[in-house]
């Protein structure tokens, strides 16, 4: 974060405890606008919990979260989606028994939960459906999923599901996109095909925050890295600064698991 960068998200004094465990204890985090920020840290560091707090899927015990200078603490996900902030999940939430296109259309409603999606899918939204479908088709083409349009999403590969989630998150034209392990479960040889789509979001001026364990990926696409360990931010900087940071190396010793996700912790 340089002085010239505008702020997309600011978290101040954010604490979340589970039982006696301080899962998140962040004094201050600033996410720059229009850049790709990687959130890294060992398993159980609190990355997903922090994502849940930022995106309204969980409530802070204390502290404040701001989006574009507005206090959004405690706002539910669908209101945040309306304000331009969406997230994807560490474990994909693709609905296997719906087509790729239908999965995408559900994204137009913002993040209200699947039951809500399905209930309102037809009816209330029928008049807007043509416009929604045009946007969905454009996104399917953009993310190379056009050929999967009418297939059950359950037939997709891991990489395609991740692309579908990305496309679905884009349905509301968000300015801030948070991706929890966008490469998890994807064959490393195919992970490369997910990098360009993520970079393209930044190149359109969007703010991207992503959780990732693979440092090669982080180095390749992140402008900025925030490192968490045991709920706290232990380092921030460019990928190069982080690579040689002693506290980061110490935090990872004996706990770094490489590139695979085991899907542990809160999803
Ligand atoms: N709903 C919950 N109830 C109780 N404990 C939780 C809950 N969610 C997370 N935790 C605990 O909080 C800590 C942080 O978990 P979190 O899932 O945020 O870590 P993470 O950095 O995302 O890890 P990973 O890299 O494995 O995804 C862990 O000790 C975890 O067990
Ligand atoms: Mg996690």
């Amino acid at each position: 974060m340089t002085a010239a960068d505008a702020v997309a998200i600011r978290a101040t004094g954010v604490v979340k405890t589970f039982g006696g465990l301080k899962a998140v204890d962040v004094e201050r985090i600033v996410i720059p606008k229009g850049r790709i920020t990687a959130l890294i840290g060992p398993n159980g560091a609190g990355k997903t919990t922090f994502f849940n707090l930022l995106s309204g899927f969980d409530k802070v015990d204390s502290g404040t979260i701001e989006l574009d200078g507005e206090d959004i603490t405690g706002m539910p996900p669908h209101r945040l989606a309306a304000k331009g902030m969406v997230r994807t999940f560490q474990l994909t939430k693709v609905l296997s028994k719906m087509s790729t296109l239908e999965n995408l259309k559900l994204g137009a409603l913002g993040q209200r939960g699947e039951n809500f999606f399905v209930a309102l899918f037809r009816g209330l939204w029928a008049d807007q459906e043509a416009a929604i479908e045009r946007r969905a088709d454009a996104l399917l083409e953009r993310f190379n999923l056009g050929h999967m349009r009418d297939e059950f999403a359950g037939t997709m590969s891991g990489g395609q599901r991740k692309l579908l989630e990305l496309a679905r998150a884009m349905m509301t034209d968000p300015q801030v996109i948070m991706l929890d392990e966008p490469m998890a479960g994807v064959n490393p040889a195919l992970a490369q095909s997910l990098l360009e789509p993520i970079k393209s979001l930044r190149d359109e001026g969007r703010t991207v925050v992503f959780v990732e364990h693979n440092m090669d990926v982080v180095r390749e696409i992140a402008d900025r890295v925030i490192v968490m360990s045991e709920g706290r931010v232990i380092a921030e900087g460019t990928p190069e600064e982080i690579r040689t940071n002693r506290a980061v190396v110490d935090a990872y010793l004996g706990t770094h698991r490489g590139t695979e996700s085991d899907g542990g912790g809160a999803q």
Side-chain angles (χ1 to χ4, degrees), residues 88-193:
T88 65
F89 292 85
Q90 187 165 349
L91 295 182
T92 60
K93 302 232 176 207
V94 162
L95 300 174
S96 307
K97 300 232 168 83
M98 291 183 105
S99 76
T100 302
L101 179 70
E102 286 167 332
N103 264 280
L104 210 49
K105 284 174 167 180
L106 295 177
L109 292 168
Q111 303 187 322
R112 283 176 183 268
E114 285 156 13
N115 292 336
F116 184 89
F117 282 156
V118 175
L120 282 196
F121 185 34
R122 302 235 168 249
L124 203 68
W125 285 70
D127 52 340
Q128 291 189 28
E129 201 166 315
I132 288 172
E133 189 162 319
R134 274 197 302 279
R135 179 161 179 84
D137 274 322
L139 286 167
L140 286 177
E141 289 305 319
R142 171 174 173 174
F143 292 111
N144 300 318
L145 294 171
H147 61 295
M148 297 299 289
R149 181 183 194 272
D150 300 313
E151 308 291 331
F152 282 133
T155 65
M156 289 184 147
S157 70
Q160 287 173 326
R161 282 174 199 231
K162 289 294 191 182
L163 281 170
L164 173 56
E165 282 214 301
L166 200 56
R168 185 164 63 181
M170 283 289 288
M171 282 297 286
T172 55
D173 195 17
Q175 285 309 302
V176 178
I177 305 182
M178 302 178 50
L179 310 168
D180 196 352
E181 302 207 19
M183 320 285 163
V186 177
N187 179 335
L190 296 176
Q192 195 67 25
S193 66

Side-chain angles (χ1 to χ4, degrees), residues 16-19 21-24 40-52 58 90 180-181 211 213 228 231 257 261-267:
K16 179 72 184 179
T17 52
F18 294 115
L21 175 85
K22 262 192 185 175
V24 168
I40 70 169
N43 293 131
K47 305 180 297 295
T48 293
T49 304
F50 189 57
F51 256 43
N52 290 343
D58 207 345
Q90 187 165 349
D180 196 352
E181 302 207 19
V211 175
H213 284 281
M228 287 181 73
R257 65 178 175 180
S261 168
D262 60 5
Q267 313 307 336

